Amino acid sequence: PLFRNLFFLGSRFGAVLDMITDRVSTFLWMVILSHLYPDSYLMFFFFGGLDYASHWWQMYSSALSGASTHKGGDNIILRIYYKAPGVLFCCVAAQEGVMSLWYMEYFAKKEIAANPTYQMVFDYAMYFCIFFFAFKQVANVFQLCSAVSVILSEDYATEQKEKKRA
């Protein structure tokens, strides 16, 4: 409670602050990795853009619809992502893990390849993380689609109200 209260994490301000710091840090990771792996820069910008866009749209649609939190959704993927115990944590940790492993591999590729134990640990860590990383990207797509649907529904409802007034 102290940390949460100190940084207003239980408030709307805290929710926005949390969202912004998460998105900025993820996008900075992607920018760094795109410089280290220039042949894969489009992939990194896609993941960074998807993360940013899906969360921004979700936050906006939640505010527009009057939802109490941006952590929700109307389909099975988002319910698993946000409500199943440990899934959100594993996905976020795995995304950080994948980015950290790519970063580490760039600087220690020779050392990892030269030692079979390091290679095995690296491979298993990547296999574990990539599964949850991929699930997070799928959840981001569903989150984006869900948010767009909510915004379009709100726009349609507003348009219908205006037509009745006229």
Side-chain angles (χ1 to χ4, degrees):
L2 175 64
F3 185 75
R4 178 182 166 144
N5 293 336
L6 184 62
F7 292 103
F8 308 105
L9 297 179
S11 66
R12 286 183 291 249
F13 174 79
V16 173
L17 182 63
D18 179 54
M19 178 76 66
I20 289 172
T21 55
D22 288 350
R23 302 297 67 81
V24 169
S25 63
T26 297
F27 208 80
L28 288 174
W29 257 121
M30 296 301 175
V31 168
I32 290 166
L33 291 171
S34 71
H35 284 285
L36 298 178
Y37 298 98
D39 292 341
S40 301
Y41 80 94
L42 284 176
M43 176 186 71
F44 294 121
F45 279 106
F46 171 77
F47 288 141
L50 176 62
D51 186 66
Y52 181 83
S54 67
H55 284 82
W56 191 90
W57 281 76
Q58 180 71 8
M59 189 73 148
Y60 183 78
S61 71
S62 298
L64 185 64
S65 67
S68 61
T69 180
H70 68 278
K71 294 183 176 181
D74 57 354
N75 63 61
I76 188 72
I77 299 294
L78 292 178
R79 283 195 299 272
I80 291 170
Y81 181 68
Y82 283 119
K83 304 294 183 201
V87 173
L88 177 61
F89 173 80
C90 285
C91 288
V92 172
Q95 177 166 297
E96 298 298 319
V98 166
M99 293 183 292
S100 297
L101 288 166
W102 278 329
Y103 184 83
M104 186 178 10
E105 180 185 40
Y106 181 82
F107 290 105
K109 185 176 259 182
K110 291 178 186 172
E111 290 82 1
I112 292 170
N115 186 322
T117 304
Y118 289 167
Q119 186 67 54
M120 183 183 72
V121 170
F122 181 86
D123 289 345
Y124 281 128
M126 185 60 90
Y127 294 145
F128 173 78
C129 289
I130 205 78
F131 170 77
F132 287 102
F133 175 83
F135 183 78
K136 185 176 186 326
Q137 304 318 307
V138 169
N140 282 345
V141 170
F142 278 92
Q143 185 177 45
L144 180 61
C145 293
S146 175
V148 168
S149 176
V150 167
I151 293 169
L152 290 174
S153 295
E154 291 289 329
D155 282 350
Y156 181 76
T158 301
E159 185 179 304
Q160 293 304 310
K161 287 178 187 174
E162 289 175 2
K163 283 183 180 180
K164 286 183 181 179
R165 287 185 195 157

